[in-house]
Amino acid sequence: MSDIPVQLAELEDSDVASEVEVDNEDESQLDHVILENSTNPEETQGKPKKKKKHHKKKKKVAAEEVVAGPVSSSSVSNGSPSSAKLNSFRDLLEKLALADSLSDPVDKRKSMDQYRFWKTQPVVKFDQPIDDEGPIETKTTDQIPDSPYPLLEEFEWETMDLTNPEISNEIFDLLCNNYVEDADSTFRFKYAPEFLDWAMRIPNYQPEWHVGVRVVATKKLVAYISGIPVNLRLRNNKIAGAEINFLCVHKKLRAKRLTPLMIKEVTRRINKSGIWQALYTAGVVLPKPVSTCRYYHRSLNWPKLHDIGFSPLPAGMTKAKMIARYKLPETTATLGLRLMQRDDIDQVYDLLSAYLAKFELAQEFEKGELLHWLMYTYGLDGKLNQEMDPDRIVWAYVVEDSNGLITDFMSFYRLQSTVISNDKHETLNAAYQFYYASSIALETQSRADSVNIVKLKARLMDLFNDALILAKRLDFDVFNALTLLDNPLFLEELKFGGGDGYLHYYLFNYKAFPINGGYLKDGQLDQKNRSGVAVVML
Ligand code: MYA
């Protein structure tokens, strides 16, 4: 079995206590050191190592995506005096061949040796040459321990019962107060309970893959990680894997090495089901992204975005000019555009499957699964919410031609963020682009056909301009999208601005050649190659 050495927590409690406010008496329980026991859970713990001061580093987390103001980033190239300076500085750096290391977010990484946990895991190392694609290690389920990894006695594992509304609410509370924030702690993701139900209780969901950590004495939920089954295709290889998301450790338990334990425990449970690969995304750089996409943001309610510090006023612009810049028509323009209905699923499934087949990394949906993702219903009566219902999670629209054929479809979902300290606004209401497809993309075999690119670009611009209009009508403040799929064709034209958030895609126990993320090293969108990534992660 595993011969990984025992490792122990390295942080003094005072480091954590000084960073967070106690918001609950129960939480005094949390000021303990957690052991990162890397051994096989069925073996005994090793001897503690000497405690070492762990210096807190400012982490670049996934939530930075939320704050990266569209204007702030685009103002770098809008011709303002400061941007001129920046550009000439960048030119100079480029001449010195240094620009790559400044603009490539993957370069913001520790040395491989400093990844104490990740260097022990079956993931591609930063300097590892890839000769062939495939699993890194092969095991059988009988090699996987039956019992969970040991925690300190004050804590216990729990398989979270997502069918129990009280438990879903506990997960909601944990995430609402402790999940991903931007670098300045201005915004924090607020995944609604219905959203979590949509994201995690998919058809074929595996209850055991939803792992919580509770304080034994108070039963307080202090950490969580989730996995859902996913069928992936990476180029020509099919991978039956897991998608890992919603990893969260209570703020008072940070930097105590609980994360490695949680990852090992969820891995153990997934391995027990005979699954050996996983896909996950993060804003932090870990060994080693298979792809990196950049976040783009399109203002819908610029004054509010400005008020909450999401979008600064660029030099030389007035508020009125910014409002005018982002003004949209009242009504959509695409002929035949309508809300998707359940009986559209056969056509949408065929269209999306054929479109996704063109990308290097894609999910292979089953029809029932796609129905869940696009037509999610919730509540006791299982009815889909009305289009304008503010609690709705996902919206899908189709374009139907005069023969009843669905030629295109697009979708987006609602994900709010708490605005942490703002007198005027409590919530940032963001629409995130979800899956889409256009039959135009299917007209040619190759994605590089230049005539087809022009047609596809025009079509996607129409489709997503309508998506913006619909999202505005639904009272969203901003529309966010990544540089994946064919997005680089239309983002700038539709006034999306590049943010400073990047999303790294990772594969667990699978080595693969890198996949284009849709932007170039100088930060420009890669309109020619676009992205090979076609998996939208929530
Ligand atoms: S991404 C969203 C992650 N969540 C947040 O950002 C929410 C706010 N932050 C927190 O809750 C904590 O800061 C977290 C770290 C929990 C992130 N992915 O416990 P620690 C490594 C993977 O002392 P803490 C999402 O949900 C870090 O490099 N590893 O740290 C996808 C270090 O290892 P190393 C991460 O700050 C999750 C170790 O943890 C991440 O208290 C995919 C330190 O642990 C991260 N986002 O807590 C998980 N952040 O020493 C992987 C830090 O090596 C799944 N670390 O540098 C892998 C596949 C598993 C299944 C396989 C099945 C086959």
Side-chain angles (χ1 to χ4, degrees):
M1 296 260 193
S2 164
D3 57 2
I4 304 166
V6 177
Q7 291 177 302
L8 294 170
E10 293 191 340
L11 189 84
E12 284 151 22
D13 282 355
S14 57
D15 283 21
V16 176
S18 62
E19 280 163 32
V20 291
E21 281 174 24
V22 180
D23 53 4
N24 181 334
E25 262 186 31
D26 291 347
E27 296 180 357
S28 59
Q29 293 281 342
L30 308 185
D31 289 328
H32 293 285
V33 176
I34 296 240
L35 300 178
E36 176 190 345
N37 180 355
S38 301
T39 56
N40 176 331
E42 286 169 347
E43 291 167 9
T44 50
Q45 280 174 197
K47 273 196 253 158
K49 270 190 195 162
K50 212 177 110 201
K51 272 192 182 180
K52 205 165 68 183
K53 178 102 177 151
H54 182 99
H55 294 287
K56 189 178 184 261
K57 283 201 180 139
K58 199 161 189 184
K59 284 184 226 148
K60 195 165 168 59
V61 288
E64 287 157 21
E65 298 107 40
V66 185
V67 268
V71 182
S72 63
S73 310
S74 50
S75 66
V76 171
S77 54
N78 73 358
S80 68
S82 58
S83 68
K85 254 189 229 160
L86 270 175
N87 283 339
S88 61
F89 182 55
R90 179 175 286 276
D91 289 347
L92 185 66
L93 288 174
E94 269 166 8
K95 281 187 193 117
L96 292 169
L98 288 173
D100 278 0
S101 63
L102 279 189
S103 56
D104 187 349
V106 180
D107 284 324
K108 289 179 190 139
R109 66 184 199 208
K110 303 188 279 192
S111 76
M112 197 58 230
D113 216 40
Q114 289 171 299
Y115 287 94
R116 284 172 40 209
F117 167 65
W118 281 108
K119 72 180 177 190
T120 67
Q121 297 300 298
V123 292
V124 175
K125 313 291 182 276
F126 287 117
D127 48 3
Q128 185 179 334
I130 306 285
D131 40 11
D132 199 9
E133 301 198 316
I136 295 171
E137 63 178 29
T138 313
K139 287 185 185 167
T140 52
T141 46
D142 54 1
Q143 290 175 281
I144 305 302
D146 290 324
S147 40
Y149 281 83
L151 285 168
L152 273 189
E153 60 183 13
E154 292 93 329
F155 299 95
E156 63 190 11
W157 298 113
E158 179 169 310
T159 300
M160 304 301 283
D161 176 5
L162 301 180
T163 61
N164 179 340
E166 276 175 30
I167 292 201
S168 320
N169 269 324
E170 283 184 279
I171 300 173
F172 166 73
D173 274 347
L174 175 75
L175 298 180
C176 187
N177 295 310
N178 301 279
Y179 201 51
V180 179
E181 295 178 4
D182 67 292
D184 306 323
S185 294
T186 312
F187 307 102
R188 183 167 53 242
F189 279 139
K190 187 181 178 187
Y191 286 89
E194 298 79 16
F195 189 115
L196 296 172
D197 188 61
W198 174 59
M200 298 193 282
R201 219 156 50 84
I202 62 165
N204 192 30
Y205 95 104
Q206 305 293 312
E208 288 283 321
W209 298 7
H210 298 271
V211 187
V213 175
R214 288 190 189 276
V215 175
V216 173
T218 62
K219 299 291 170 213
K220 186 179 175 67
L221 180 70
V222 289
Y224 181 65
I225 188 165
S226 83
I228 53 171
V230 65
N231 287 317
L232 296 169
R233 180 186 49 76
L234 177 54
R235 302 186 180 101
N236 294 323
N237 294 321
K238 310 250 179 180
I239 305 171
E243 211 175 84
I244 307 296
N245 206 344
F246 303 113
L247 162 66
C248 183
V249 168
H250 191 287
K251 288 184 174 198
K252 284 183 69 72
L253 288 176
R254 293 282 166 85
K256 292 175 185 289
R257 314 295 302 177
L258 179 54
T259 303
L261 268 180
M262 295 175 66
I263 293 173
K264 283 189 290 189
E265 177 57 15
V266 81
T267 303
R268 187 189 69 78
R269 290 169 180 229
I270 294 170
N271 285 169
K272 270 284 172 205
S273 337
I275 300 290
W276 308 96
Q277 273 73 40
L279 174 72
Y280 49 103
T281 52
V284 286
V285 181
L286 304 166
K288 180 191 177 180
V290 63
S291 189
T292 298
C293 296
R294 185 178 180 191
Y295 269 97
Y296 272 68
H297 313 271
R298 206 299 185 176
S299 299
L300 300 174
N301 183 354
W302 188 84
K304 176 172 170 188
L305 295 179
H306 182 61
D307 280 351
I308 61 179
F310 188 94
S311 303
L313 183 65
M317 289 296 274
T318 61
K319 289 186 179 181
K321 278 188 191 163
M322 292 307 287
I323 293 166
R325 173 177 162 76
Y326 292 118
K327 197 163 168 43
L328 286 160
E330 293 290 320
T331 49
T332 58
T334 307
L335 214 63
L337 182 77
R338 61 166 173 79
L339 202 60
M340 181 178 166
Q341 306 298 322
R342 287 180 81 84
D343 4 330
D344 295 325
I345 190 65
D346 289 345
Q347 288 200 62
V348 169
Y349 174 79
D350 289 345
L351 181 62
L352 180 64
S353 306
Y355 181 55
L356 295 185
K358 296 190 162 285
F359 294 83
E360 286 157 82
L361 178 64
Q363 181 166 352
E364 298 210 315
F365 290 103
E366 290 183 2
K367 212 174 272 181
E369 213 180 356
L370 188 63
L371 197 63
H372 169 87
W373 286 121
L374 298 179
M375 304 292 294
Y376 171 70
T377 58
Y378 66 87
L380 287 177
D381 55 4
K383 280 200 184 123
L384 188 67
N385 291 61
Q386 296 302 304
E387 184 178 9
M388 300 306 286
D389 187 333
D391 293 332
R392 190 169 168 136
I393 301 296
V394 59
W395 285 260
Y397 294 85
V398 296
V399 180
E400 183 180 349
D401 72 8
S402 50
N403 300 317
L405 270 182
I406 291 175
T407 56
D408 312 80
F409 97 96
M410 52 86 176
S411 56
F412 51 86
Y413 60 84
R414 176 194 302 278
L415 171 52
Q416 298 186 319
S417 286
T418 304
V419 183
I420 292 172
S421 307
N422 189 282
D423 298 339
K424 218 165 139 189
H425 302 283
E426 284 178 4
T427 312
L428 169 65
N429 199 16
Y432 282 74
Q433 184 197 49
F434 199 40
Y435 284 99
Y436 66 86
S438 172
S439 55
I440 291 184
L442 310 181
E443 287 173 2
T444 55
Q445 191 74 27
S446 154
R447 287 182 74 210
D449 181 299
S450 53
V451 177
N452 188 257
I453 291 177
V454 173
K455 279 175 73 181
L456 183 62
K457 178 178 177 134
R459 185 60 170 176
L460 294 181
M461 279 177 62
D462 290 346
L463 205 57
F464 279 97
N465 203 49
D466 282 349
L468 295 174
I469 294 167
L470 292 162
K472 172 83 185 153
R473 199 193 287 165
L474 291 162
D475 209 26
F476 284 103
D477 303 318
V478 63
F479 195 106
N480 296 333
L482 284 157
T483 52
L484 43 63
L485 292 162
D486 279 310
N487 291 355
L489 290 180
F490 64 84
L491 290 174
E492 257 160 24
E493 286 77 354
L494 294 186
K495 298 181 185 152
F496 283 76
D500 48 16
Y502 290 82
L503 191 66
H504 306 291
Y505 281 72
Y506 299 97
L507 290 167
F508 185 88
N509 193 18
Y510 205 87
K511 54 183 169 27
F513 299 112
I515 302 172
N516 197 33
Y519 66 92
L520 301 165
K521 287 221 162 179
D522 63 2
Q524 296 300 303
L525 288 163
D526 189 350
Q527 296 223 11
K528 184 163 168 269
N529 300 304
R530 284 93 77 206
S531 176
V533 177
V535 184
V536 183
M537 298 275 288
L538 306 176

